[in-house]
Amino acid sequence: MALLSIFLEDILGSNTKSSTFQEIGTRKMSSKFLEKDKSLRVGSTSYGNLVRFKKLGLLTNIRYMLEGVRVAVLALFIYPQIACRENKFTKNSLKSLYSPKIWKIAGAEEGNQKSFQLKKRRLFTAIPVLCIAFAEILMFLEKVGIAIWVHIGILIALSLSNIFVKDSEVQKIHQALMLLPLLRIINLSMPIFFETTLYTFIFIYGSLAIPMAVVIIHQRYSLEQIGISMKNIEAYMILSIPLSLALGFGEYLTIRTGYLIPDLTFENLLKLTFIMVFFVGLVEELTFRSILQTRIEQTLSVGESLLITTLLFGLMHSGYGTFYEILYTSIIGLFIGVAFYKTKSLPFIVVLHGFINVFLFGILPHYLTGRIGF
């Protein structure tokens, strides 16, 4: 419509200008006709040429107008078609983007990626666990020298894995597993400062407490994850005594240990209880349950965390040289692991573990040694 109005203005303006120019030309020609005949012929010829030129311009304007109208009509016809197709394309794109099939494919890809990552974490966890188990089997077979070198190699490999393995969860599991070969190396390499074997535990577990604290601080364990809680603490303390007596009695029947204190005086029992609870029980339960079991549970699953910690806890008692001790301590490890998972109470399992050793290395040997059937 804008083009049509412009073209009409051009035509009207051309006609007006032509009429004016015609009147002026006529007047001039009339005056010139009276003066000279030659001038009249020249003016008539110029006027004719001018009229033809104006007609040609008029036809050109009309042609441009028609072309403009045709373009406008085509634009008005084509635009709705383009807009309609654009809407259809947009709707189809959105439908395809938010279609269940697309989301299903995306979900499947994400699920495959998570499954692959979980398998990789299982593999990187299984390799050092099996290596530690192999080293402890060598200990069981009395290949102590080879076992020590295997543990040293495991410790170095786990240290290097924290440089080359990019998965932070795997790194945390490897850091927790480093405490086990370190415990065995310290245990076998610790010089004897006292004739009483009991005091050796202070140096072994006191030394291990330092790297254990570094792991806890570095991995930023919360108090809840470690199990530091006073919830139901009175009930747990009361329950731990009969449970430790029953479990300690079963272990005594398995390995028939000797006593670590010369008699059952209050002073000796206090020493034994303090060392077994605050050194042996605390450090081992922090290592196996608060650090290792918690980390594997968060990365893999509860079942896998219980299985791995139970296996390793049993094998770490291979130094007694009897398969039944490994089996029995594995059962105790499973029991304590389940107790920690259910209660999330570190004081409960530390006292339970500590008093098992008090009964096993103190009270039971003194009372049962030499008696009929024992």
Side-chain angles (χ1 to χ4, degrees):
M1 294 302 290
L3 289 172
L4 183 59
S5 62
I6 292 170
F7 289 139
L8 288 175
E9 288 177 3
D10 289 340
I11 293 168
L12 292 174
S14 299
N15 291 337
T16 306
K17 290 179 181 179
S18 299
S19 300
T20 305
F21 187 83
Q22 187 176 0
E23 290 178 0
I24 295 169
T26 304
R27 291 172 185 169
K28 288 182 178 181
M29 287 183 66
S30 299
S31 59
K32 288 182 180 181
F33 182 79
L34 294 174
E35 293 176 355
K36 292 182 181 179
D37 183 59
K38 187 176 178 180
S39 298
L40 179 61
R41 286 198 303 270
V42 174
S44 298
T45 304
S46 300
Y47 175 74
N49 292 334
L50 185 60
V51 170
R52 290 191 192 97
F53 179 76
K54 291 298 179 182
K55 286 182 179 179
L56 182 61
L58 178 61
L59 292 174
T60 303
N61 290 337
I62 293 171
R63 183 179 176 185
Y64 287 160
M65 181 191 70
L66 294 175
E67 290 293 334
V69 171
R70 187 171 69 173
V71 171
V73 171
L74 288 174
L76 291 173
F77 175 75
I78 293 172
Y79 177 75
Q81 301 294 328
I82 295 174
C84 182
R85 293 189 179 217
E86 185 179 357
N87 289 333
K88 287 182 180 180
F89 176 76
T90 304
K91 289 179 181 179
N92 292 333
S93 299
L94 291 174
K95 285 181 180 178
S96 62
L97 180 62
Y98 295 103
S99 64
K101 183 182 286 187
I102 294 294
W103 282 107
K104 188 175 181 180
I105 294 172
E109 290 180 353
E110 185 179 358
N112 292 334
Q113 185 177 3
K114 287 183 178 180
S115 177
F116 174 75
Q117 187 179 37
L118 186 60
K119 289 180 180 178
K120 186 176 70 173
R121 287 175 176 175
R122 285 195 178 111
L123 177 63
F124 280 111
T125 302
I127 291 173
V129 167
L130 292 176
C131 291
I132 293 171
F134 174 69
E136 288 302 310
I137 290 172
L138 291 175
M139 285 288 301
F140 176 75
L141 298 175
E142 297 182 355
K143 307 291 184 181
V144 179
I146 302 175
I148 286 291
W149 282 110
V150 173
H151 274 303
I152 292 173
I154 294 168
L155 193 59
I156 295 172
L158 290 174
S159 301
L160 293 175
S161 71
N162 281 268
I163 300 174
F164 297 103
V165 177
K166 303 302 180 183
D167 192 336
S168 61
E169 295 301 320
V170 175
Q171 290 179 354
K172 291 175 181 178
I173 292 176
H174 286 182
Q175 290 168 6
L177 288 171
M178 287 172 65
L179 297 173
L180 302 186
L182 193 59
L183 171 61
R184 179 58 72 195
I185 293 170
I186 293 174
N187 187 10
L188 294 175
S189 61
M190 180 65 64
I192 299 175
F193 297 101
F194 302 95
E195 294 182 359
T196 305
T197 308
L198 178 64
Y199 299 137
T200 306
F201 289 106
I202 298 175
F203 293 95
I204 294 172
Y205 289 94
S207 300
L208 187 65
I210 298 172
M212 182 187 65
V214 171
V215 171
I216 292 175
I217 295 171
H218 175 71
Q219 297 191 11
R220 297 180 180 179
Y221 282 87
S222 64
L223 294 179
E224 183 180 359
Q225 288 175 324
I226 295 173
I228 298 178
S229 172
M230 295 294 108
K231 184 179 179 181
N232 300 324
I233 188 65
E234 297 85 359
Y236 291 149
M237 293 299 102
I238 294 172
L239 182 62
S240 64
I241 303 302
L243 283 176
S244 59
L245 174 60
L247 294 173
F249 181 72
E251 189 169 0
Y252 178 78
L253 294 179
T254 303
I255 58 175
R256 303 296 177 94
T257 59
Y259 45 79
L260 293 178
I261 50 177
D263 53 52
L264 294 179
T265 61
F266 177 78
E267 181 183 355
N268 288 329
L269 280 175
L270 184 61
K271 290 178 182 178
L272 179 64
T273 302
F274 182 80
I275 292 173
M276 288 302 170
V277 172
F278 292 101
F279 283 89
V280 179
L282 179 61
V283 172
E284 285 193 7
E285 292 310 318
L286 275 171
T287 301
F288 282 95
R289 252 58 72 172
S290 296
I291 298 176
L292 188 58
Q293 180 175 317
T294 300
R295 181 56 59 196
I296 297 175
E297 178 185 332
Q298 291 177 349
T299 305
L300 301 179
S301 66
V302 176
E304 288 167 306
S305 67
L306 290 173
L307 176 63
I308 292 172
T309 52
T310 297
L311 173 66
L312 293 176
F313 185 77
L315 288 172
M316 291 300 289
H317 290 80
S318 60
Y320 290 99
T322 167
F323 171 76
Y324 298 106
E325 171 64 4
I326 296 175
L327 179 62
Y328 188 80
T329 52
S330 297
I331 295 172
I332 293 178
L334 178 62
F335 179 82
I336 295 176
V338 173
F340 180 73
Y341 171 71
K342 293 293 185 181
T343 63
K344 294 297 180 184
S345 176
L346 180 64
F348 173 48
I349 61 173
V350 166
V351 172
L352 177 62
H353 188 161
F355 271 89
I356 289 174
N357 290 341
V358 170
F359 285 109
L360 179 63
F361 296 106
I363 297 175
L364 292 176
H366 277 286
Y367 273 104
L368 298 179
T369 301
R371 293 178 181 269
I372 299 175
F374 296 96

